[in-house]
């Protein structure tokens, strides 16, 4: 413990020096990325190697993985929203955007990842126990990296609001909230299938909750709602990096949905034939 404490003090002092250096040099986005990856290395070195004895424990529980993945984007976004000195330069430090949509985007982005964290702790029931370190690094690079990229542009001093103004923003917010509610409802419904620690796979069916009625048409409505959430966020911000992130999310979730759909068909002979993997009647 004494060694770990000394390492903590030394590494955090180094991070502070790095931040001061970046603040004076005005490296902008690349400087911020440097700091983020330094923190990631710090996490691996101190938490993983010292506290978990990595040689004997090369994997994390799924709950820990999700907590790490989702906490990162939540705090990374705030670095750009509050315009830390090493992000956009000294002239723009701790200033705020004149566009209300920037504040709204921060609220929605934070809400999304806070919801994910709550679901990880209180809702999800995972069939797989652990995940190897290499997958954690890959997933964190994906989530953390995209969070930094899209936050950099949304909170940039030169950011311009959506073309159709309040109508576009309001439509996107309504769509965002509906999709978030739908995603949460599906996760609760799936969790209820595994009460009392049961690992027996069952066919999910719609409940009295209207958001679960999408089960009538797709096998993985949680992915459908998730993609819808990011589509709405893209419409709200009208930002290219967000659109690219949404596209990659759709591709990855389509792959997952197809795999799960095939598993259902293989395991259940009476599986509803009307269902598609992720998009009703199409895909």
């Amino acid at each position: 413990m004494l060694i770990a404490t000394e390492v903590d003090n030394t590494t955090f002092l180094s991070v502070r020096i790095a931040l001061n250096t970046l603040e004076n040099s005005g490296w902008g986005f690349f400087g911020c990325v440097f700091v983020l990856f330094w923190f990631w290395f710090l996490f691996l070195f101190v938490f993983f190697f010292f506290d978990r004895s990595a040689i004997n424990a090369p994997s994390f529980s799924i709950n820990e993985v999700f907590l790490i993945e989702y906490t990162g984007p939540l705090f990374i976004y705030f670095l750009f929203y509050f315009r830390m000195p090493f992000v956009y330069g000294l002239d723009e430090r701790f200033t705020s955007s004149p566009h209300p949509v920037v504040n709204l985007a921060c609220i929605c982005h934070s809400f999304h990842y806070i919801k994910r964290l709550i679901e990880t702790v209180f809702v999800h029931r995972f069939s797989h126990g652990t995940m190897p370190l290499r997958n954690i690094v890959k997933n964190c690079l994906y989530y953390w990296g995209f969070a930094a990229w899209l936050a950099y542009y949304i909170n940039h001093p030169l950011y311009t609001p959506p073309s159709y103004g309040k109508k576009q923003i309001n439509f996107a917010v309504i769509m965002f909230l509906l999709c978030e509610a739908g995603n949460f409802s599906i996760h609760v419904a799936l969790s209820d299938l595994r009460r009392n620690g049961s690992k027996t796979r069952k066919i999910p069916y719609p409940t009295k909750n209207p958001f679960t009625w999408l089960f009538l048409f797709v096998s993985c409505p949680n992915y459908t709602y998730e993609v819808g959430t990011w589509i709405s966020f893209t419409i709200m911000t009208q930002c290219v990096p967000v659109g690219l992130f949404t596209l990659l999310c759709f591709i990855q979730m389509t792959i997952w949905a197809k795999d799960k759909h095939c598993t259902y068909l293989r395991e259940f002979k009476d599986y509803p034939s009307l269902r598609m993997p992720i998009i009703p009647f199409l895909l």
Side-chain angles (χ1 to χ4, degrees):
M1 293 299 295
L2 178 61
I3 296 177
T5 302
E6 291 177 352
V7 171
D8 286 345
N9 293 335
T10 302
T11 48
F12 277 112
L13 177 61
S14 300
V15 171
R16 183 176 180 181
I17 293 173
L19 288 175
N20 291 335
T21 303
L22 291 170
E23 180 178 346
N24 295 327
S25 63
W27 280 11
F29 174 73
F30 296 102
C32 187
V33 171
F34 170 80
V35 173
L36 294 177
F37 279 100
W38 178 261
F39 270 114
W40 174 237
F41 172 79
L42 176 71
F43 162 77
L44 289 179
F45 186 74
V46 177
F47 179 77
F48 188 76
F49 286 98
F50 280 90
D51 293 344
R52 296 183 61 89
S53 301
I55 295 178
N56 298 319
S59 60
F60 285 75
S61 71
I62 300 299
N63 288 76
E64 290 174 332
V65 171
F66 281 1
L67 290 175
I68 295 170
E69 289 178 3
Y70 301 153
T71 302
L74 184 63
F75 288 100
I76 288 172
Y77 197 97
F78 288 140
L79 294 177
F80 297 89
Y81 177 74
F82 291 112
R83 295 183 178 175
M84 302 300 288
F86 54 87
V87 178
Y88 301 114
L90 296 178
D91 293 338
E92 301 293 342
R93 65 186 184 279
F94 303 121
T95 58
S96 58
S97 173
H99 307 300
V101 67
V102 173
N103 301 324
L104 188 59
C106 181
I107 294 173
C108 290
H109 186 273
S110 302
F111 175 83
H112 178 74
Y113 282 101
I114 290 173
K115 167 185 161 293
R116 283 192 170 190
L117 290 171
I118 292 174
E119 289 176 339
T120 298
V121 176
F122 299 106
V123 178
H124 289 317
R125 303 178 192 275
F126 301 103
S127 57
H128 300 289
T130 61
M131 179 181 292
L133 176 61
R134 63 180 180 276
N135 288 355
I136 301 174
V137 175
K138 178 182 66 176
N139 292 353
C140 285
L141 287 175
Y142 174 75
Y143 283 108
W144 294 25
F146 263 108
W149 191 32
L150 62 87
Y152 176 80
Y153 283 98
I154 295 173
N155 298 284
H156 197 283
L158 299 180
Y159 170 80
T160 55
S163 303
Y164 294 97
K166 290 185 178 180
K167 291 183 179 180
Q168 180 174 339
I169 296 171
N170 292 338
F171 169 79
V173 170
I174 294 173
M175 180 180 175
F176 177 88
L177 293 176
L178 289 175
C179 288
E180 288 284 24
N183 182 262
F184 178 77
S185 298
I186 298 300
H187 286 159
V188 171
L190 292 174
S191 179
D192 288 341
L193 294 177
R194 294 189 173 185
R195 288 182 177 178
N196 303 321
S198 173
K199 293 186 178 181
T200 303
R201 191 185 297 274
K202 302 176 183 178
I203 300 177
Y205 287 103
T207 66
K208 294 180 180 179
N209 184 344
F211 287 109
T212 65
W213 295 351
L214 197 55
F215 270 125
L216 293 171
F217 306 105
V218 295
S219 296
C220 302
N222 52 320
Y223 295 152
T224 307
Y225 283 123
E226 179 76 10
V227 172
T229 295
W230 286 109
I231 290 176
S232 65
F233 196 70
T234 303
I235 296 172
M236 181 193 309
T237 59
Q238 197 171 298
C239 187
V240 173
V242 182
L244 180 58
F245 179 71
T246 301
L247 176 62
L248 293 178
C249 282
F250 173 69
I251 294 173
Q252 181 60 70
M253 290 183 186
T254 299
I255 294 173
W256 290 339
K258 284 185 174 181
D259 288 343
K260 197 166 186 178
H261 182 73
C262 290
T263 301
Y264 281 138
L265 292 175
R266 183 172 60 253
E267 294 185 358
F268 302 103
K269 295 181 179 180
D270 58 341
Y271 192 72
S273 59
L274 184 62
R275 293 187 188 181
M276 300 296 287
I278 189 172
I279 300 178
F281 311 114
L282 293 177
L283 182 64

